[in-house]
């Protein structure tokens, strides 16, 4: 019997945030390519064709990071909060599925970067004694209520290390 | 419960030796390098007076440190006071103490003393507190106090004194011969050589290399074999010194391990701190049917060279079950290992041989490196063994992961000790319905993840469901 996918999905706006990250990445790469162009004009020893390679590369990576990767990520991202455990699935090429029992959770917190905040999103991090897990791009209220619920459940489930 | 006291005065010597060790080497290197450069050494009286001053200063510092280090046990806590100018006080409550380890070198054993290191939770290499020298009586009192033990429990334990497992000499010798410590010593010899080579005058070096080259290939081979044998011999001797008089026993919810020929060591591991047990069958030991039993213990520091605790150095595979039943019955279980599906074999083969890929350009430019292909039969065999030996099993509350890098390792862990379980599948694994299973447990200094690659998807899913507490 195959495992069923975790029920909950992260917020659809995550796509937008990831795409913005992708755009920033793309702009930086473009900058590197253009920077090289200027350098090559000054220093004749540098080959010109490398500029086109860099340009093509940044274009390719741009498409990958702005369009393809966020979409694939969105398809696989899933999580499920149960009374006894948190179940998380994510990945792009390698799909990872983690099960974290409530009894093992040491602390939970939420945080958000500028773009996440723009869309009212937050990331939830869950730490055990040895491992750290994140659920990105939850609605801020959801993240906050999950955080409270997990700390509550983690407190209630008492068994020692 | 006892009053504030100092360590045994011999501690001054211990401190002194430690301090001097840090200074002596740079000083010697300085002298040798001056001499090797052909520069003139400072006059002898200058050297002697500098040395004298250094020794005197260190004796004073050592005395100072000893005099102002006081420890006491009261109200369920160990109180440490250090220093006079920079005063440090530390209180360690006995419930925070994870392990108390004892160690006695030759000097301490002659004086019938030992040193205690007290470990608390937290992943540092150094013990929280070390009391460098105290009498056996004091140590016993302190250990009892730290464990919150009463005299009655102690008596009961004494009755069990005859229990416990020791190791006989032939067994120890086999363990030493197959310990695989050759590599470490080879590295050491090379490291020492690399340091020393700078100080050897050029003309001697030239003479030596001329002789060796003149003697031809045979000399090189001979030199190599000699180096290897020396390293092996050294590693055997070290192993025997370290693990002689090995004894392990269980008492009062603790595993006690003692060993050492000259330097005696004793570890106490509370059983509830044990996170996993591994049966390690090294490549040299497996053919003879021997295995080492190791423990992952949460909290606490380094035991020997590694953070793993050797529960027993060398055990015949058939004896493991009885041994565990006597010593650590929580991990004595019979299980049916689910092997990898046939479709995983190809992935194991390819994965290991991908390692040759980065060297391909080398093969083109330096055809002689093609000799590396002589290794192919060995890597093929290793890949096959890795595939054949790997597997997982679930038996009651126990998860068993078996895998091989070089040594075949069978890790056993209890469900309520596993921190998280992760299944990982890349695109190709998804096509072939395979998963990689990772189980993470706490250990010193932080965590250990056991990984079995390419188990059948349904096996992975069933482990996941086994781990889930959800109905």
């Amino acid at each position: 019997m195959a495992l069923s996918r975790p029920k909950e999905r992260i917020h659809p706006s995550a796509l937008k945030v990831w795409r913005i990250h992708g755009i920033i990445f793309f702009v930086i790469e473009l900058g590197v390519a253009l920077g090289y162009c200027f350098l090559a004009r000054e220093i004749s020893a540098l080959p010109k064709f490398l500029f086109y390679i860099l340009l093509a590369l940044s274009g390719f990576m741009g498409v990958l990071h702005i369009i393809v990767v966020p979409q694939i990520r969105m398809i696989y991202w899933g999580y499920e909060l149960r009374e006894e455990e948190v179940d998380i699935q994510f990945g792009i090429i390698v799909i990872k599925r983690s099960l974290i029992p409530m009894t093992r959770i040491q602390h939970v917190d939420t945080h958000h970067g500028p773009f996440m905040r723009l869309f009212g999103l937050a990331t939830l991090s869950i730490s055990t004694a040895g491992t750290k897990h994140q659920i990105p791009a939850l609605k801020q209220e959801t993240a906050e209520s999950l955080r409270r619920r997990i700390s509550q459940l983690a407190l209630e489930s008492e068994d020692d290390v | 419960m006892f009053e504030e006291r100092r360590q045994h005065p011999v501690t001054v010597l211990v401190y002194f030796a430690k301090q001097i060790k840090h200074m002596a080497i740079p000083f010697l290197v300085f002298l040798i390098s001056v001499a090797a450069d052909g520069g003139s050494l400072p006059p002898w009286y200058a050297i002697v007076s500098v040395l004298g001053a250094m020794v005197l200063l260190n004796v004073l510092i050592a005395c100072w440190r000893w005099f102002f280090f006081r420890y006491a046990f009261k109200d369920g806590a160990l109180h440490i006071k250090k220093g006079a100018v920079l005063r440090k006080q530390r209180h360690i409550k006995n419930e925070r103490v994870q392990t108390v380890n004892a160690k006695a070198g030759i000097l301490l054993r002659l004086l019938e003393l030992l040193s205690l290191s007290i470990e608390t939770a937290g992943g540092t290499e150094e013990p929280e507190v070390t009391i460098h020298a105290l009498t056996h009586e004091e140590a016993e009192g302190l250990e009892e106090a730290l464990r919150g033990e009463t005299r009655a429990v102690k008596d009961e334990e004494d009755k069990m004194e005859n229990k416990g497992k020791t190791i006989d000499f032939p067994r120890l010798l086999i363990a030493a011969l197959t310990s695989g410590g050759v590599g470490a010593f080879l590295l050491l010899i090379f490291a020492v050589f690399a340091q020393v080579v700078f100080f050897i005058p050029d003309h001697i070096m030239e003479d030596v290399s001329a002789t060796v080259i003149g003697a031809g290939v045979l000399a090189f081979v001979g030199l190599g074999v000699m180096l290897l044998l020396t390293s092996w011999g050294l590693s055997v001797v070290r192993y025997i010194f370290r693990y002689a008089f090995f004894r392990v026993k269980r008492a009062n919810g603790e595993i006690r391990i003692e060993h050492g020929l000259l330097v005696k060591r004793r570890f106490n591991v509370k059983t509830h701190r044990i996170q996993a047990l591994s049966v390690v069958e090294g490549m040299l030991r497996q053919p003879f049917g021997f295995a080492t039993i190791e423990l992952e213990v949460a909290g606490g520091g380094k035991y020997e060279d590694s953070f793993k605790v050797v529960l027993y150095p060398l055990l015949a595979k058939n004896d493991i079950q009885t041994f565990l039943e006597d010593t650590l019955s929580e991990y004595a279980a019979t299980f049916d290992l689910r092997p990898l599906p046939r479709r995983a074999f190809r992935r194991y083969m390819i994965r290991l041989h991908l390692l040759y890929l980065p060297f391909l350009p080398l093969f083109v430019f330096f055809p002689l490196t093609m000799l590396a292909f002589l290794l192919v039969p060995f890597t093929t065999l290793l890949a096959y063994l890795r595939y054949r030996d790997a597997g997982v099993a679930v038996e009651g509350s126990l998860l068993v992961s078996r895998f091989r890098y070089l040594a075949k390792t069978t890790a056993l862990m209890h469900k309520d000790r596993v921190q998280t379980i992760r299944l990982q599948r890349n695109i190709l694994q998804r096509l072939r319905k395979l998963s990689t299973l990772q189980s993470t447990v706490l250990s010193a200094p932080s965590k250990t993840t056991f990984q079995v690659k390419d188990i059948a998807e349904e096996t992975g899913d069933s482990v996941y469901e086994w781990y889930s507490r959800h109905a």
Side-chain angles (χ1 to χ4, degrees):
Chain A
M1 185 186 67
L3 289 177
S4 56
R5 194 183 188 292
K7 281 194 202 94
E8 312 286 336
R9 288 175 166 268
I10 55 173
H11 198 272
S13 300
L15 263 184
K16 294 177 195 158
V17 177
W18 289 333
R19 287 195 170 134
I20 292 173
H21 288 163
I23 289 168
I24 293 171
F25 190 67
F26 174 62
V27 168
I28 292 171
E29 283 189 329
L30 216 57
V32 171
L34 290 176
Y36 180 80
C37 179
F38 275 113
L39 264 180
R41 204 177 279 173
E42 297 299 318
I43 307 164
S44 54
L46 295 173
K48 287 273 187 307
F49 70 90
L50 209 59
F51 165 65
Y52 297 105
I53 291 180
L54 280 174
L55 203 63
L57 207 67
S58 63
F60 175 71
M61 295 299 269
V63 171
L64 213 63
H65 281 114
I66 298 168
I67 299 168
V68 183
V69 170
Q71 201 66 53
I72 298 177
R73 263 192 173 172
M74 201 65 199
I75 292 171
Y76 286 113
W77 246 110
Y79 71 94
E80 200 172 318
L81 176 69
R82 295 188 280 263
E83 218 153 285
E84 311 85 351
E85 63 211 6
V86 185
D87 193 351
I88 296 176
Q89 173 186 288
F90 65 99
I92 302 159
I93 294 170
V94 183
I95 308 302
K96 294 148 195 148
R97 179 92 185 249
S98 306
L99 198 57
I100 313 130
M102 286 297 168
T103 48
R104 295 283 157 268
I105 292 174
Q106 294 209 320
H107 59 265
V108 267
D109 55 67
T110 59
H111 54 96
H112 39 85
F115 299 112
M116 288 267 185
R117 200 156 42 216
L118 201 67
F119 295 96
L121 300 178
T123 298
L124 184 77
S125 331
I126 302 168
S127 307
T128 70
T131 58
K132 194 167 182 182
H133 311 267
Q134 292 196 327
I135 308 175
L138 295 164
K139 264 178 97 174
Q140 272 170 22
E141 304 89 80
T142 321
E144 197 49 40
S145 75
L146 279 182
R147 190 183 64 77
R148 251 180 266 128
R149 210 168 119 69
I150 292 175
S151 6
Q152 190 59 40
L153 287 171
L155 267 182
E156 281 167 13
S157 56
E158 292 264 355
D159 62 36
D160 72 318
V161 177
Chain B
M1 222 49 48
F2 55 77
E3 293 311 303
E4 192 170 285
R5 59 182 70 170
R6 292 195 176 85
Q7 302 168 96
H8 189 278
V10 77
T11 308
V12 173
L13 218 61
V14 177
Y15 281 145
F16 176 74
K18 277 192 183 179
Q19 288 157 213
I20 269 303
K21 209 161 72 182
H22 291 300
M23 288 189 180
I25 293 165
F27 188 73
L28 277 177
V29 168
F30 166 74
L31 281 186
I32 294 171
S33 60
V34 168
D37 280 349
S40 55
L41 284 178
W44 64 271
Y45 49 85
I47 296 178
V48 168
S49 54
V50 167
L51 268 178
M54 212 161 84
V55 168
L56 198 68
L57 188 69
N58 276 299
V59 168
L60 284 176
I61 293 174
C63 287
W64 179 279
R65 283 171 70 190
W66 166 74
F67 187 79
F68 289 107
F69 184 105
R70 282 149 300 164
Y71 65 97
F73 190 88
K74 50 177 186 261
D75 308 326
L78 178 66
H79 301 257
I80 305 276
K81 279 187 202 161
K82 268 192 214 178
V85 182
L86 289 168
R87 279 174 202 235
K88 244 192 199 170
Q89 291 206 20
R90 184 176 272 173
H91 306 282
I92 302 170
K93 287 202 171 141
N94 61 4
E95 61 258 36
R96 271 195 60 228
V97 174
Q98 301 284 8
T99 47
V100 181
N101 298 331
K103 184 177 163 184
I106 304 165
L107 178 66
L108 290 186
R109 281 177 69 192
L110 281 175
L111 297 168
E112 296 190 336
L113 301 169
L114 52 90
S115 84
L116 280 188
S117 40
I118 293 145
E119 312 264 10
T120 57
T124 48
E125 281 193 26
E126 294 297 312
E128 180 94 45
V129 172
T130 303
I131 295 169
H132 289 96
L134 68 177
T135 64
H136 282 265
E137 233 166 281
E138 285 172 317
E140 218 165 85
L142 184 58
E143 275 187 87
E144 266 173 40
L146 286 171
R147 254 186 262 135
E149 226 171 51
T150 57
R151 197 67 220 173
V153 182
K154 178 76 186 146
D155 288 342
E156 189 187 320
E157 181 197 309
D158 284 341
K159 277 181 219 143
M160 299 169 62
E161 191 70 41
N162 50 4
K163 272 200 175 181
K165 191 163 168 69
T166 52
I167 192 164
D168 54 13
F169 187 73
R171 189 56 71 83
L172 182 69
L173 190 63
I174 298 173
L177 290 171
T178 56
S179 73
V182 185
F185 273 98
L186 264 183
L187 279 181
L188 187 75
I189 290 177
F190 281 126
V192 169
F193 184 72
Q195 292 290 317
V196 169
V197 84
F198 292 112
F199 302 126
I200 300 174
D202 285 344
H203 57 94
I204 297 181
M205 276 302 282
E206 277 159 22
D207 284 354
V208 170
S209 49
T211 324
V212 172
I213 291 166
V217 181
L218 213 64
F220 269 112
V221 174
L223 205 66
V225 169
M226 227 166 69
L227 260 176
L228 222 72
L229 282 179
T230 317
S231 314
W232 193 39
L234 286 172
S235 79
V236 167
V237 170
R238 181 181 65 166
Y239 193 95
I240 289 176
F241 272 67
R242 185 174 281 180
Y243 287 110
F245 302 118
F246 189 94
R247 176 193 292 280
V248 56
K249 68 173 179 182
R250 183 180 189 147
N252 304 320
E254 275 192 337
I255 298 285
R256 304 204 167 180
I257 300 169
E258 289 173 11
H259 55 85
L261 189 64
L262 296 179
V263 180
K264 267 216 170 302
R265 291 161 205 271
R266 193 178 76 226
F267 308 123
N268 300 326
V269 180
K270 291 178 186 159
T271 47
H272 74 269
R273 306 298 310 169
I274 297 172
Q275 306 291 311
L277 177 141
S278 332
V279 177
V280 183
E281 297 166 62
M283 286 207 135
L284 292 174
R285 289 174 182 172
Q286 195 189 358
F288 305 106
F290 287 120
T292 305
I293 318 267
E294 291 177 354
L295 297 177
E296 300 286 346
V297 179
K302 243 179 175 165
Y303 289 90
E304 291 285 355
D305 297 329
S306 82
F307 286 98
K308 297 193 193 318
V309 178
V310 174
L311 183 66
Y312 202 78
L314 192 77
L315 210 54
K317 279 205 78 179
N318 299 332
D319 300 338
I320 292 176
Q321 191 64 21
T322 2
F323 170 72
L324 287 180
E325 271 162 18
D326 291 344
T327 316
L328 204 58
S329 55
E330 293 91 329
Y331 291 90
T334 48
F335 49 85
D336 284 323
L337 203 77
R338 266 185 273 180
L340 301 186
R342 273 203 58 83
R343 57 186 186 275
F345 178 59
R346 209 171 72 183
R347 288 185 55 77
Y348 270 74
M349 229 9 128
I350 294 171
R351 185 179 295 125
L352 190 59
H353 290 91
L354 279 179
L355 289 176
Y356 289 111
L357 215 57
F359 297 104
L360 279 184
L362 217 61
F363 298 153
V364 176
F365 293 114
F366 306 99
L368 204 65
T369 54
M370 298 265 254
L371 280 175
F373 283 118
L374 288 176
L375 288 175
V376 168
F378 297 105
T379 45
T380 306
L381 181 66
L382 183 61
Y384 169 70
L385 290 175
R386 282 184 178 177
Y387 156 77
R388 192 197 62 185
D389 293 331
V392 296
V394 164
E395 183 61 51
S397 71
L398 266 181
L399 170 65
V400 184
S401 289
R402 182 178 287 166
F403 54 89
R404 175 197 284 278
Y405 292 109
L406 291 172
K408 175 176 159 190
T409 308
T410 312
L412 291 89
M413 55 217 120
H414 276 281
K415 188 172 169 178
D416 57 358
R417 295 285 182 272
V418 176
Q419 294 289 313
T420 44
I421 288 271
R422 169 177 274 190
L423 288 174
Q424 209 167 284
R425 301 156 67 211
N426 65 28
I427 294 176
L428 294 171
Q429 283 176 311
R430 266 175 276 159
L431 281 174
R432 301 198 156 268
K433 299 210 172 304
L434 297 169
S435 307
T436 293
L437 174 75
Q438 297 177 338
S439 43
T440 303
V441 297
L442 285 182
S443 71
S446 68
K447 60 170 175 174
T448 301
T449 300
F450 297 108
Q451 178 169 268
V452 189
K453 287 176 178 161
D454 300 327
I455 59 174
E457 191 181 77
E458 63 269 18
T459 311
D461 289 356
S462 71
V463 171
Y464 206 80
E465 271 157 16
W466 162 83
Y467 187 60
S468 171
R469 283 144 173 87
H470 193 64

